[in-house]
Amino acid sequence: MNRKDEHVSLAKAFHKPRHNDFDDVTLIHHSFPACRVSDVSIETELFDQSLTSPFFINAMTGGSEKTKEYNRQLAILARETDLMMATGSVSAALRNPEISDSYTVVRQEYPNGTLLANVGAGTTLEDAKRAVDLFEANALQIHLNAPQELVMPEGDRDFTQWLSTLEEITTHLDVPVIVKEVGFGMTRETIQHLLSVGVTIIDVAGSGGTSFTQIENARRKKREFTYLDDFGLSNVASLLEAKEVPVPFELIASGGVRNAFDIFKALCFGAQTVGIAGTILNQLLTNGLEPTITLVQQWQTELKTLYAMTGATKTAHLKKVPLFLSGHPKDWCEARNIDIKKYSMRV
Ligand code: FNR
């Protein structure tokens, strides 16, 4: 089976609603929201663009006939609900132009959309430009995925050029560059590394949902890396880390987002927008396009309700919502010297 098709079918096979760190984040309620639901706007800003929703479809697929159809449906979903959308890594199309249409289909379906192309770390500046040109992407995502490559039987084994190629692309590309993980999360040290080479937009892409160590291990005959199934920092732990970095940058949350409440909690940690991959793919493959459009619209309505419940009429207000952290996030704060009261005592 084509690797891209295999990723989709394994992601679906392993997808199951499960406990994650968002369940250990509780909102602290105040009884006077002092706002009207009709005043609530869930708009957000990212790289100087205004986006009507504070969540988006994160990088997944492309590179085969089947995934062309998934990208087509994801682009229709994004168009009908006005979401930003990323394709999966376009590297395969840079090597083999015959499969370009499995990516360019997103621009055909969504001519005015905010669409992101995606490449791996280690990609040259020239290829990064070709990736953007492929479907006139509004920005480029570059993914960091060392654990995935290492567990992948045919994966990369040399990571020495990642930081220098990132620097070159960030310095010379004329669209915004977003650096993301693929479900393993980021520490403040990783974020500082990225900032030091000029990256200004970061998607922490933590664990708690799709696991690429689990997916790649399932593609190995002996499945010897089963113990890495839950490898990585959670989305919540990564957001806690990101907020410890003193230098400002644009923060995106993703990984393990299951519903509107998880989106809302991620925004309360200061994310500007929230990426969702596995949950949307699973909905689409299980229930089809129309029910997935309805679900996303429902999330948009639920978010307005949640904003109003905390008295927030704008996305930027959410970073003041007080949060009570228990369980793993609390332990994380203790071990990593993060003042938990910053979250529980803010007003
Ligand atoms: C992905 N993801 C991904 N990320 C990336 O940067 N480039 C890629 O090509 C892919 N491919 C891909 C395929 C499939 C089938 C899935 C489900 C995911 C990773 C994705 O963008 C995201 O970072 C992780 O899936 C974690 O988010 P969720 O799934 O827990 O919401």
Side-chain angles (χ1 to χ4, degrees), residues 11 15 35 113 148 152 161 166-167 170 180 187 191 229 253-254 282 286 303 313 332:
H15 183 89
C35 69
Q148 175 185 6
M152 189 190 304
Q161 302 308 309
L166 268 184
E167 182 161 29
T170 321
K180 72 185 283 288
T187 58
I191 292 172
D229 279 3
S254 73
N282 188 58
T286 309
L303 280 171
T313 53
W332 187 271

Side-chain angles (χ1 to χ4, degrees), residues 41-61:
S41 160
I42 62 167
E43 274 179 30
T44 192
E45 298 224 330
L46 192 72
F47 45 82
D48 291 332
Q49 279 207 22
S50 183
L51 303 168
T52 57
S53 280
F55 63 96
F56 69 99
I57 303 171
N58 219 343
M60 283 187 274
T61 198

Side-chain angles (χ1 to χ4, degrees), residues 263-285:
I263 298 172
F264 182 78
K265 288 176 180 176
L267 296 169
C268 291
F269 281 105
Q272 285 162 253
T273 186
V274 180
I276 307 164
T279 300
I280 286 184
L281 184 72
N282 188 58
Q283 272 294 325
L284 191 66
L285 299 183

Side-chain angles (χ1 to χ4, degrees), residues 154-343:
E154 70 279 40
D156 287 349
R157 298 291 181 262
D158 176 357
F159 309 103
T160 52
Q161 302 308 309
W162 277 17
L163 211 55
S164 57
T165 49
L166 268 184
E167 182 161 29
E168 209 193 348
I169 295 174
T170 321
T171 316
H172 294 107
L173 202 70
D174 48 17
V175 297
V177 173
I178 301 169
V179 176
K180 72 185 283 288
E181 257 288 353
V182 298
F184 302 116
M186 290 186 198
T187 58
R188 72 195 83 164
E189 291 82 9
T190 296
I191 292 172
Q192 264 151 349
H193 254 102
L194 292 173
L195 298 177
S196 75
V197 296
V199 175
T200 58
I201 315 171
I202 297 174
D203 176 352
V204 294
S207 65
T210 308
S211 163
F212 266 96
T213 35
Q214 184 181 34
I215 289 174
E216 298 300 350
N217 187 47
R219 299 180 58 245
R220 298 180 81 96
K221 272 202 198 87
K222 291 191 184 155
R223 314 255 154 100
E224 60 272 49
F225 289 111
T226 306
Y227 49 75
L228 294 180
D229 279 3
D230 296 322
F231 186 81
L233 268 74
S234 72
N235 188 348
V236 170
S238 303
L239 289 169
L240 288 164
E241 290 281 322
K243 297 315 282 183
E244 294 303 300
V245 175
V247 184
F249 63 95
E250 298 201 72
L251 175 62
I252 302 175
S254 73
V257 173
R258 301 158 298 181
N259 52 40
F261 203 25
D262 290 347
I263 298 172
F264 182 78
K265 288 176 180 176
L267 296 169
C268 291
F269 281 105
Q272 285 162 253
T273 186
V274 180
I276 307 164
T279 300
I280 286 184
L281 184 72
N282 188 58
Q283 272 294 325
L284 191 66
L285 299 183
T286 309
N287 299 323
L289 181 57
E290 285 305 321
T292 309
I293 292 173
T294 307
L295 179 72
V296 168
Q297 288 166 339
Q298 181 192 313
W299 286 349
Q300 288 165 327
T301 310
E302 283 176 48
L303 280 171
K304 285 195 179 169
T305 307
L306 293 166
Y307 279 44
M309 210 176 278
T310 53
T313 53
K314 289 189 165 61
T315 302
H317 295 167
L318 297 180
K319 51 177 179 270
K320 295 275 164 136
V321 172
L323 303 171
F324 171 76
L325 307 180
S326 57
H328 183 259
K330 179 176 181 245
D331 293 346
W332 187 271
C333 287
E334 270 167 24
R336 296 279 295 170
N337 205 14
I338 296 171
D339 179 11
I340 203 165
K341 292 204 177 66
K342 273 199 305 211
Y343 295 94

Side-chain angles (χ1 to χ4, degrees), residues 61-62 67-75 85 102-103 105-106:
T61 198
T67 54
K68 175 182 175 185
E69 180 53 21
Y70 302 146
N71 265 343
R72 196 180 71 79
Q73 295 195 21
L74 289 169
M85 172 190 168
S102 62
Y103 302 94
V105 66
V106 299

